[in-house]
């Protein structure tokens, strides 16, 4: 099949979170399965400067209609492997900046224009190349308008650009809601300004475009597919999603074993397998050293790698500061995010030197070391569409502590519920829930044989992308 993916971030070129990992791995997996895969992403400065994009060549020049003006774009193309072509849509005005979505403090004010432009450039490239895709697959709000722009372009030019469109929700909490004043830049007909179109509480929602106009909707876990149909998790779009429930399916992400496998991981100081965990002890010692924990620390190390936002349950962690102060445990946090969380975590680290350590930066190498060197991985998310870290941690023999939400429910098995199959510790998304989880972890750590049995089960789980890819293929093949 000819499959086109479009997303605002794709590993390795540019990444702020799991979206990049998921799209990068999906595209690679489909290419390996013999499909002809094209991936579109904005030509951010970071992406064009990335060593992986060094072979990119300027292949096309586009003229994109943006309301009553035209904006040009250079399209850079590279072929990282067989069956895979990457298109970087560049335009200095929109993408030659330091950040991706914003400057670190706040989102760029022209994100509406940037992603309208990007989606239109994808459509225009497909049209100019007479591409005729079987599938155009858009991910999250930045590409929410792609399915609708594509169908209107087909009508306007009397061509077929794609047989089917698919829209994947990686996170319904980010919807791309802008003033209706942005609407004219889409050049879509006025009828789409209403409630049956892109209108969302008087504003314009990019995500609603994807939800209403894609032929199929997917999200990244079966549990999240159920949750987003409820007011508690739907972020105001639960009604729209319910109206398309028969076209919605939840397919769990996988992990890319070429990047996340402790037996081959070149970012680690030592490698290991379930049969020989000595390399994990080397990683632990290195983590203690690199993060400045007390030398020779023997207690359990809890690791956390995440965007420091409300979603990731940082407030639950902070509500349990007493646990980290009074118990003989260590906590390592790798993450950047909301200033209030960064500040409170710094205060905690200052209060508990040698046992609580922080690295407030994006650091791919350190993220692998935290996964490998910790004893437990903490993910107290308030909601979690899929979550990748709990799968990475199981692969690395680091027992996950997770809330019972979203994809965490679909990927972790509680050790008390299933003593012979359990791989982690699960709890309610509350401060008390997390505390009970931390205490259970402490107890498990004291029982070496029990801990190691869980650890081995974790490492034996299969989280490969093959399963997810087969699910998507079935969907791509399904008749409309
Ligand atoms: P989300 O996409 O909601 O952020 P996921 O668990 O799906 O959550 O994916 C997060 C990804 O981002 C993981 O690959 C994780 O290792 C990575 N990550 C998050 N924060 C950092 C950081 N500070 N440094 C390196 N990697 C990070
Ligand atoms: C989103 C979600 C995360 C998911 C990732 C990849 O960023 O927050 O749970 O794993 O997308 O699908």
């Amino acid at each position: 099949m000819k499959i086109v993916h479009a997303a605002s971030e794709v590993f390795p070129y540019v990444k702020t979170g799991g979206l990049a990992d998921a799209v990068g791995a999906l595209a690679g997996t489909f290419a390996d399965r013999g499909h002809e895969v094209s991936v579109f992403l904005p030509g951010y400065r970071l992406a064009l400067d990335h060593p992986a994009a060094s072979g990119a060549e300027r292949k096309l020049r586009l003229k994109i209609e943006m309301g009553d003006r035209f904006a040009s774009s250079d399209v850079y193309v590279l072929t990282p492997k067989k069956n895979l072509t990457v298109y970087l849509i560049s335009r200095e005005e929109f993408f030659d900046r330091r950040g991706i979505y914003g400057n670190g403090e706040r989102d760029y004010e022209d994100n509406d224009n940037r992603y309208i432009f990007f989606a239109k450039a994808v459509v225009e490239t497909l049209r100019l190349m007479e591409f005729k895709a079987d599938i155009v697959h858009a991910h999250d709000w930045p590409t929410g308008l792609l399915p609708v722009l594509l169908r209107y372009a087909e009508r306007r030019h009397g061509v077929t650009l794609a047989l089917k469109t698919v829209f994947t929700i990686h996170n319904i909490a980010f919807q791309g809601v802008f003033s209706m004043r942005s609407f004219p830049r889409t050049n879509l007909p006025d009828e789409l300004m209403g409630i049956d179109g892109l209108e969302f509480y008087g504003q314009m929602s990019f995500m609603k475009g994807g939800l209403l106009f894609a032929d199929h909707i997917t999200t990244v876990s079966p549990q999240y597919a159920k949750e987003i149909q409820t007011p508690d998790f739907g972020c105001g779009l639960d009604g729209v999603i319910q109206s398309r429930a028969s076209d919605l399916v939840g397919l769990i992400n996988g992990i890319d074993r070429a990047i996340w496998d402790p037996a081959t991981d070149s970012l680690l100081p030592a490698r290991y397998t379930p049969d020989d965990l000595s390399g994990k002890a080397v990683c632990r010692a290195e983590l203690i050293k690199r993060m400045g924990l007390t030398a020779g620390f023997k207690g359990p190390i809890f690791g956390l790698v995440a965007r420091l936002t409300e979603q990731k349950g940082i407030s639950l962690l902070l509500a349990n500061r007493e646990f980290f102060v009074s118990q003989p445990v260590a906590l390592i946090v790798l993450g950047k995010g909301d200033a209030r969380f960064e500040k409170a975590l710094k205060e905690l680290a200052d209060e508990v030197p040698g046992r609580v350590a922080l690295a407030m930066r994006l650091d791919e190498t350190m993220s692998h070391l935290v996964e490998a060197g910790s004893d437990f991985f903490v993910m107290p998310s308030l909601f979690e569409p899929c979550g990748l870290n709990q799968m990475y941690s199981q692969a690395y023999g680091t027992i996950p502590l997770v809330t019972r939400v979203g994809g965490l429910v679909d990927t972790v098995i509680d050790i008390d519920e299933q003593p012979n199959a359990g791989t982690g510790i699960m709890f309610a998304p509350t401060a008390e829930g997390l505390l009970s989880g931390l205490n259970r972890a402490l107890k498990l750590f004291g029982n070496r044989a029990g801990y190691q049995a869980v650890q081995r089960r974790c490492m034996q789980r299969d989280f490969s992308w093959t399963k997810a890819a087969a699910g998507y293929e079935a969907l791509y093949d399904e008749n409309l």
Side-chain angles (χ1 to χ4, degrees):
M1 271 192 270
K2 277 172 102 170
I3 304 169
V4 173
H5 284 278
S8 56
E9 48 183 281
V10 180
F11 187 85
Y13 311 101
V14 60
K15 161 170 167 177
T16 70
L19 171 66
D21 288 7
V23 179
L26 252 183
T29 306
F30 285 130
D32 292 343
R33 290 163 79 89
H35 298 292
E36 194 186 316
V37 183
S38 302
V39 175
F40 284 79
L41 91 147
Y44 308 106
R45 188 191 298 170
L46 273 167
L48 287 168
D49 286 350
H50 195 283
S54 61
E57 283 179 31
R58 204 173 70 186
K59 281 273 170 67
L60 272 179
R61 194 167 169 85
L62 311 174
K63 242 174 92 188
I64 304 296
E65 192 178 16
M66 293 285 288
D68 52 12
R69 68 169 183 138
F70 282 87
S72 63
S73 169
D74 287 320
V75 184
Y76 289 82
V77 181
L78 75 148
T79 336
K81 67 172 176 179
K82 194 169 163 231
N83 295 336
L84 182 62
T85 311
V86 175
Y87 294 82
L88 292 138
I89 303 291
S90 84
R91 178 171 173 81
E92 263 176 44
E93 177 197 359
F94 291 140
F95 302 122
D96 190 18
R97 306 178 183 182
R98 287 217 345 243
I100 299 171
Y101 305 114
N103 60 11
E105 304 269 292
R106 66 171 77 110
D107 285 351
Y108 294 129
E109 291 193 355
D110 57 350
N111 276 349
D112 47 355
N113 293 344
R114 297 171 81 221
Y115 293 108
I116 288 173
F117 177 80
F118 174 59
K120 286 188 165 189
V122 176
V123 173
E124 186 62 4
T125 305
L126 298 181
R127 191 180 78 83
L128 286 182
M129 292 181 66
E130 296 178 18
F131 203 85
K132 295 204 180 0
D134 292 296
I135 304 294
V136 169
H137 191 149
H139 299 266
D140 264 357
W141 79 262
T143 55
L145 295 181
L146 178 54
V148 45
L149 288 167
L150 184 133
R151 292 303 181 214
Y152 277 86
E154 286 181 329
R155 241 186 251 179
R156 184 161 158 192
H157 298 286
V159 291
T160 301
L161 300 175
L163 294 182
K164 237 188 226 190
T165 59
V166 178
F167 181 66
T168 294
I169 306 165
H170 293 263
N171 197 337
I172 196 92
F174 301 102
Q175 303 182 350
V177 174
F178 300 97
S179 156
M180 259 304 167
R181 282 195 297 276
S182 312
F183 184 83
R185 249 110 55 207
T186 65
N187 300 90
L188 288 166
D190 287 352
E191 73 210 36
L192 289 185
M193 286 175 83
I195 182 117
D196 297 327
L198 305 178
E199 194 269 350
F200 185 68
Y201 295 100
Q203 295 185 286
M204 157 177 175
S205 163
F206 280 39
M207 183 156 260
K208 199 175 160 199
L211 297 178
L212 286 182
F213 292 91
D215 297 313
H216 292 282
I217 305 168
T218 78
T219 189
V220 287
S221 69
Q223 176 68 19
Y224 195 58
K226 286 186 225 153
E227 289 172 354
I228 54 179
Q229 298 184 49
T230 67
D232 281 353
F233 290 94
C235 301
L237 283 170
D238 34 294
V240 176
I241 295 170
Q242 274 170 31
S243 75
R244 299 226 44 205
S246 57
D247 301 312
L248 167 71
V249 53
L251 297 168
I252 200 93
N253 289 327
I255 66 179
D256 190 340
R257 296 299 285 206
I259 298 163
W260 292 97
D261 182 350
T264 55
D265 191 334
S266 59
L267 296 177
L268 297 181
R271 277 144 288 283
Y272 56 93
T273 60
D275 299 327
D276 179 4
L277 288 165
S278 56
K280 187 163 168 64
V282 176
C283 293
R284 189 186 136 107
E286 178 72 10
L287 181 64
I288 289 177
K289 199 165 113 204
R290 295 264 313 267
M291 294 298 297
L293 295 185
T294 308
F297 179 76
K298 293 276 180 299
I301 300 178
F302 292 86
L304 187 154
V305 181
R307 295 179 287 113
L308 302 179
T309 62
E310 198 61 42
Q311 171 186 350
K312 300 298 175 181
I314 308 303
S315 51
L316 306 190
L317 190 76
L318 290 166
N320 279 296
R321 54 182 294 138
E322 194 43 41
F323 176 87
F324 295 102
V325 173
S326 62
Q327 296 293 334
V329 303
L331 171 68
I332 285 173
V333 177
L334 169 64
K336 265 167 67 107
D338 297 2
R340 63 190 166 124
F341 291 139
E342 291 192 353
K343 181 165 168 279
L345 286 167
K346 263 188 212 132
E347 283 166 12
L348 180 60
D350 288 345
E351 193 180 333
V352 196
R355 284 199 295 108
V356 175
L358 307 177
M360 281 176 183
R361 56 175 191 266
L362 280 172
D363 185 337
E364 196 67 27
T365 304
M366 184 53 85
S367 73
H368 286 241
L369 188 61
V370 175
E371 288 286 7
S374 305
D375 302 295
F376 294 97
F377 194 89
V378 203
M379 247 176 125
S381 307
L382 301 185
F383 65 94
E384 196 60 76
C386 176
L388 297 172
N389 277 310
Q390 80 284 7
M391 293 193 266
Y392 298 151
S393 76
Q394 287 172 81
Y396 281 64
T398 301
I399 297 171
L401 263 71
V402 303
T403 44
R404 284 183 198 278
V405 296
L408 302 175
V409 172
D410 294 315
T411 52
V412 177
I413 305 167
D414 185 83
I415 52 171
D416 284 351
E417 262 169 38
Q418 297 193 46
N420 296 320
T423 60
I425 294 176
M426 305 181 77
F427 45 87
T430 59
E432 302 74 45
L434 173 58
L435 180 61
S436 77
L438 291 167
N439 281 318
R440 285 171 67 197
L442 205 53
K443 204 168 127 216
L444 178 65
F445 194 72
N447 163 7
R448 254 356 251 170
Y451 177 88
Q452 282 169 357
V454 179
Q455 195 174 35
R456 292 220 159 77
R457 281 202 295 270
C458 281
M459 294 182 80
Q460 271 145 7
R461 292 197 72 180
D462 173 16
F463 290 117
S464 74
W465 269 102
T466 321
K467 230 156 98 190
Y472 284 109
E473 277 169 1
L475 192 74
Y476 292 168
D477 270 336
E478 209 176 273
N479 287 328
L480 285 176

